[in-house]
Amino acid sequence: MAKQVEIKYTQLFIDNEFVDAVSGRKFSTINPANGEVIAEISEGDKADVDKAVDAAKRAFARNSKWRKMDPYDRGQLMHKLADLITRDLDYIATLETRDNGKTYASAVGDIEAGIACLRYYAGWCDKIQGNTIPTGDTYVTLTRREPIGVVGQIIPWNYPFLMLIWKWGPALATGCTLILKPAEQTPLTALYTAALAKEAGFPAGVINVIPGYGPTAGAAIAEHSEIHKVAFTGSTEVGHAIMAAAAKSNLKRVSLELGGKSPLVIFDDVDVKEAAEIAHDAIFVNHGQCCCAGSRTFVHSKIYDEFVKHAKQLALAKKVGDPFDSKIDQGPQIDQEQLNKIMDLINSGKQQGAVVEVGGNRIGETGYFVQPTIFSNVTDDMRIAKEEIFGPVQTILKFDTMDEVIERANRTNYGLASGIITKDINKALEFAQAIESGSVWVNCYDAITSQAPFGGFKQSGIGRELGEEGLNEYLEIKTISIKVTKNN
Ligand code: NAI
Ligand code: MG
């Protein structure tokens, strides 16, 4: 089933070299489509994070090559990396599909989006400006926006390559040096991209990649007293742990991009078939493994039955199987743990009285495939309406009025994204103003671009990624006041 692909890098990347872990330990990365071991990867932990931090500190030291580099040249280096990724796009996408199970077409889309994001941030390098501030005639006051320094970045498995670029883009543009820990499920594209960074000419120590597990390598990053910022994407539970570790160690800056239970609200003035298509993609994209998945589909009671009919047809038409087969729409879920979580939540939906319209079962015994599943008659108190499923499961709820749906949509600890489908601009604006979420998509979903900020309200996160806002997470502001001595 798996397309063959040569695995070139399996060791840690520290100071521009691939090296074994200090412990000598390795872990297996597997192909979720068939459970086969793809490669044995060096398993980093605290000792390796310490080495990487030393390298990143040297690279960030005063008068280092990186610090002295003209910001324009820093941008050219980032463009060079984007060129190399473009050269090897097919290889990287193949690696990603093998390691993650997402369809090859969607892996290509992720790499292309990553290239665009890297080039977007490359353009920022020489445009990060401070201010001159009026403070009377005794002082000239100005600000500089300086890199925070050595930063740690911990990313999940659902968009391994794209999340790496979302982290590297602003860190490199601002002139920080970094230690990235990819998810243990998907280390391959991060290691390959590290090799490309070396080929592009990034100085040693600017970029370091330490594959390994969360409680060891990840925790070592979060606790490290010489890492000055940690950027994390993953579960809300681990987000709490990262923040606690930052508080206990050195008060490092924290940015978190966490889970969601995002509402997509569909009013009765719409083309129901089109709305069902938007809602389908909102939840089923990337097999439901998406932080901003439209996982609560609220449908107006007047069109509810018709909507469910269309939603069913779309789910039934979805082809699940080998992610390298171009006719396939959905590959496997990432691993046994996620499969178990999804099946547990599907079973809870059945037990709590939701109606299974389509699917509801695992497919086969090999690989982690789940039937595209739709629940109707879902109520707010059910687990499937409250917990992040992170799988191909659409939950369709019914509503009658704007006030009611806003109140119900906001009744969650999450607040990452939301959407509304209506032809009435006033309804769209009322909803957009009242909803508690970092993104609001009107008559569309997942309209994410490199230029616009993305992140969560409430327990969906802290800080923003992408856009100019994303840079701020990697910058300190320094105020310089110069006394003006009058000559007479
Ligand atoms: P996770 O939050 O455990 O893993 C994400 C990253 O954090 C991985 O690199 C992992 O190694 C690391 N990590 C884990 N424990 C850590 C610790 N104590 N200190 C530092 N780093 C640590 O997520 P997991 O277990 O893969 O998935 C669990 C659930 O989290 C999913 O079912 C989904 O609901 C949610 N999730 C949300 C994501 C998002 O994009 N916001 C991405 C992945 C998962
Ligand atoms: Mg975990």
Side-chain angles (χ1 to χ4, degrees):
M1 176 185 267
K3 187 167 155 184
Q4 285 312 310
V5 56
E6 189 198 345
I7 309 300
K8 295 181 181 152
Y9 304 104
T10 58
Q11 294 165 290
L12 317 179
F13 184 75
I14 300 174
D15 217 12
N16 267 3
E17 301 300 334
F18 283 97
V19 294
D20 286 333
V22 171
S23 70
R25 277 203 304 272
K26 293 181 182 218
F27 67 99
S28 308
T29 188
I30 61 148
N31 177 351
N34 56 21
E36 276 172 16
V37 174
I38 306 171
E40 297 294 333
I41 306 293
S42 297
E43 183 194 327
D45 58 26
K46 186 173 178 324
D48 308 286
V49 169
D50 287 346
K51 277 173 66 184
V53 170
D54 285 344
K57 274 172 63 186
R58 281 194 299 276
F60 192 75
R62 186 164 169 247
N63 293 328
S64 71
K65 198 171 169 197
W66 181 241
R67 291 300 290 283
K68 284 200 298 200
M69 192 179 288
D70 185 314
Y72 171 82
D73 294 328
R74 207 162 68 226
Q76 294 311 299
L77 261 186
M78 292 175 72
H79 278 301
K80 182 74 207 292
L81 176 58
D83 293 342
L84 297 177
I85 293 166
T86 307
R87 179 193 72 190
D88 296 344
L89 201 156
D90 172 61
Y91 176 78
I92 299 170
T94 305
L95 217 51
E96 192 85 320
T97 292
R98 187 98 188 276
D99 212 11
N100 166 281
K102 66 175 67 201
T103 62
Y104 177 76
S106 67
V108 168
D110 286 2
I111 315 303
E112 287 171 344
I115 292 166
C117 182
L118 194 57
R119 292 198 192 283
Y120 167 79
Y121 276 114
W124 267 111
C125 293
D126 51 6
K127 300 170 191 71
I128 299 171
Q129 302 173 354
N131 285 316
T132 53
I133 299 168
T135 49
D137 63 0
T138 311
Y139 297 101
V140 172
T141 305
L142 54 100
T143 57
R144 280 165 55 89
R145 297 168 76 213
E146 299 186 354
I148 281 182
V150 176
V151 303
Q153 307 184 317
I154 302 170
I155 58 172
W157 43 262
N158 53 345
Y159 292 90
F161 179 82
L162 191 58
M163 287 303 105
L164 172 145
I165 297 292
W166 283 25
K167 299 283 180 284
W168 285 13
L172 297 172
T174 50
C176 293
T177 60
L178 64 90
I179 296 112
L180 174 118
K181 192 197 85 63
E184 56 273 26
Q185 296 88 343
T186 54
L188 294 177
T189 50
L191 293 175
Y192 189 73
T193 313
L196 293 184
K198 179 175 180 177
E199 183 181 345
F202 280 89
V206 171
I207 288 172
N208 305 275
V209 177
I210 308 282
Y213 290 100
T216 50
I221 289 174
E223 289 163 4
H224 206 290
S225 59
E226 291 181 288
I227 290 179
H228 297 297
K229 179 230 162 50
V230 61
F232 170 76
T233 298
S235 62
T236 297
E237 180 195 356
V238 174
H240 281 268
I242 300 270
M243 209 164 166
K248 278 199 202 120
S249 54
N250 61 341
L251 293 178
K252 59 178 65 63
R253 281 68 180 125
V254 175
S255 56
L256 306 172
E257 205 265 271
L258 309 173
K261 193 71 187 174
S262 299
L264 172 56
V265 172
I266 298 156
F267 272 88
D268 56 338
D269 59 359
V270 300
D271 179 322
V272 180
K273 188 159 175 276
E274 272 174 32
E277 283 164 7
I278 295 172
H280 176 87
D281 290 343
I283 180 65
F284 289 104
V285 72
N286 210 37
H287 323 163
Q289 302 169 140
C290 187
C291 51
C292 55
S295 51
R296 286 184 293 155
T297 311
F298 285 99
V299 179
H300 195 278
S301 59
K302 280 196 189 139
I303 57 165
Y304 190 87
D305 293 341
E306 189 189 349
F307 181 94
V308 171
K309 192 187 81 194
H310 287 299
K312 255 172 96 163
Q313 281 167 4
L314 291 166
L316 284 169
K318 219 169 185 71
K319 293 195 182 62
V320 184
D322 177 2
F324 281 108
D325 180 341
S326 60
K327 293 185 291 295
I328 290 294
D329 308 299
Q330 181 183 307
Q333 308 305 126
I334 191 70
D335 62 11
Q336 184 71 47
E337 188 183 328
Q338 289 297 309
L339 177 74
N340 293 348
K341 173 181 166 179
I342 294 164
M343 293 315 303
D344 174 52
L345 278 157
I346 287 177
N347 290 332
S348 81
K350 292 173 181 171
Q351 277 156 20
Q352 291 187 307
V355 176
V356 181
E357 297 280 352
V358 186
N361 297 299
R362 179 179 181 182
I363 303 174
E365 291 297 319
T366 309
Y368 312 114
F369 296 93
V370 176
Q371 289 178 326
T373 297
I374 295 186
F375 281 108
S376 66
N377 289 22
V378 179
T379 53
D380 295 351
D381 55 316
M382 293 177 184
R383 283 182 61 203
I384 55 170
K386 291 197 290 201
E387 296 176 31
E388 186 170 45
I389 302 175
F390 234 61
V393 183
Q394 185 171 34
T395 59
I396 312 183
L397 304 107
K398 195 183 279 189
F399 77 94
D400 286 301
T401 71
M402 176 66 89
D403 285 343
E404 170 208 335
V405 79
I406 286 171
E407 199 275 319
R408 290 170 60 195
N410 282 340
R411 205 190 303 144
T412 168
N413 290 330
Y414 292 119
L416 190 54
S418 63
I420 178 165
I421 305 179
T422 174
K423 290 205 167 72
D424 183 340
I425 186 73
N426 291 309
K427 283 201 176 80
L429 291 173
E430 185 177 0
F431 178 83
Q433 287 176 346
I435 196 74
E436 295 161 357
S437 69
S439 294
V440 189
W441 292 308
V442 179
N443 292 332
C444 59
Y445 204 83
D446 283 332
I448 300 171
T449 68
S450 306
Q451 300 92 321
F454 179 82
F457 280 31
K458 300 192 273 189
Q459 290 190 40
S460 286
I462 293 181
R464 292 293 179 271
E465 297 193 278
L466 303 179
E468 188 176 359
E469 298 286 342
L471 290 170
N472 294 336
E473 308 287 340
Y474 290 88
L475 292 167
E476 290 285 5
I477 296 184
K478 179 180 284 173
T479 305
I480 302 177
S481 305
I482 309 159
K483 182 151 184 210
V484 180
T485 306
K486 306 246 160 61
N487 282 325
N488 45 25

